[in-house]
Amino acid sequence: MTLPVAGAADVSRPRSVLDLVGNTPLLRLRRFERADGRVQLYAKAEWKNPGGSVKDRAAAAMILDGEQKGLLGAGRTVLDATSGNTGIAYAMIGAARGYPVKLCMPENVTPERKRILRAYGAELVLTDPMEGSDGAIRRVREVYQADPERYYYPDQYSNPANWKAHYQSTGPEILAQTDGGVTHFIAGLGTSGTFVGTGRFLRERAPHVQLVSVQPDTALHGLEGMKHMETAIVPGIYDATLADVDMRVGTEESYLLTKRLALEEGLLVGISSGAALAAGLRVADSLESGAIVMVFADGGEKYLSERFWEEPPEGSFVSGVN
Ligand code: PMP
């Protein structure tokens, strides 16, 4: 293999961590497809972003938007509520661009996440775990209102730059990577930015694509990063009319599929990827042919302290799940 020679004229060379965001691979999951291969399953490998998750896209867009609007500059701290991945993205980009970052999050966020955030120099405000991500949202509003001049509060739940990041990058990438052949798009709902932005792009450019949103099936669930809309503070950017189908998936089935992805495809991914696959397999079951694209939002490393990894992998290698 010949490596490209680096030089001043090489404009394609990344200059900072921001240039590494997006353009993630689309992987085919043959082990989870039916043998005839007529329904193809693809995973958008969002853990390949530099901060390790899909949220790098939204965080980069919101920080650049804040700079452009004059809301963020020297002396301001980036402040938000985040269950983890957006926080990691803010912390990474804040470090690269010279902004302090302060994050409100439930105390029970995995220790790995807290360590990553502190490694990037972020300040953490830990909130009551019983109140979940909504408790963190309430706290961030208090912190902001106490001293609004000090902070840039992107508010990922209400900021249009969140979903627009996906309208401008994730959507076009998926259409190009499938040569326009995608028939179903599946993404879990957290802030809903990924689903709403990618969904709106596909609705405009490829109206035949079925848009499938995925939520936890109960208020108390283990699908970190995802929201049960009926019982949560509904994000301002969420558009409930966009989805053709809004699916509910269980925590246990998502754990099982997360383990199977590691064992059978060699993909160590997060639990919401297992949830997306649970929805994808259900959609695949109902089709004769098609190309299903699922967003795999992050990698599995941050979840390795969770107990489900140690439970016997019953169901692994069992064929006929789909
Ligand atoms: N999965 C994981 C692991 C996440 O962290 C998030 C973000 N909260 C999502 C899915 C959902 O992404 P979005 O906020 O764009 O809806």
Side-chain angles (χ1 to χ4, degrees), residues 52-55 58 82-86 113 156-157 162-163 166 187-197 214 223-227 229 235 237 270-273 295-299 302-303:
S53 88
V54 68
K55 300 304 307 200
T82 162
S83 67
N85 279 326
T86 309
R113 287 197 187 211
Q156 58 162 338
Y157 293 93
N162 175 353
W163 67 262
H166 299 282
L189 298 176
T191 66
S192 78
T194 307
F195 179 76
V196 169
V214 186
L223 308 179
E224 204 167 307
M226 289 174 66
K227 257 183 187 290
M229 293 294 177
I237 60 169
I271 304 154
S272 75
S273 303
V295 174
F296 280 13
D298 67 356
K302 295 183 295 278
Y303 307 94

Side-chain angles (χ1 to χ4, degrees), residues 104-145:
C104 300
M105 69 191 57
E107 171 126 48
N108 59 339
V109 163
T110 60
E112 296 93 327
R113 287 197 187 211
K114 292 183 201 156
R115 296 186 80 113
I116 294 167
L117 292 166
R118 290 191 174 117
Y120 284 121
E123 181 189 342
L124 311 189
V125 179
L126 301 173
T127 59
D128 185 348
M130 295 309 288
E131 293 182 34
S133 58
D134 288 351
I137 294 172
R138 282 188 283 268
R139 177 69 67 82
V140 82
R141 288 175 182 164
E142 288 163 20
V143 173
Y144 178 68
Q145 269 144 27

Side-chain angles (χ1 to χ4, degrees), residues 17 21 40 55 58 143 164 207 214 250 252 265 306:
V17 76
V21 176
Q40 291 145 26
K55 300 304 307 200
V143 173
K164 283 182 185 167
V214 186
E252 290 303 320
E265 291 279 359
E306 300 220 3

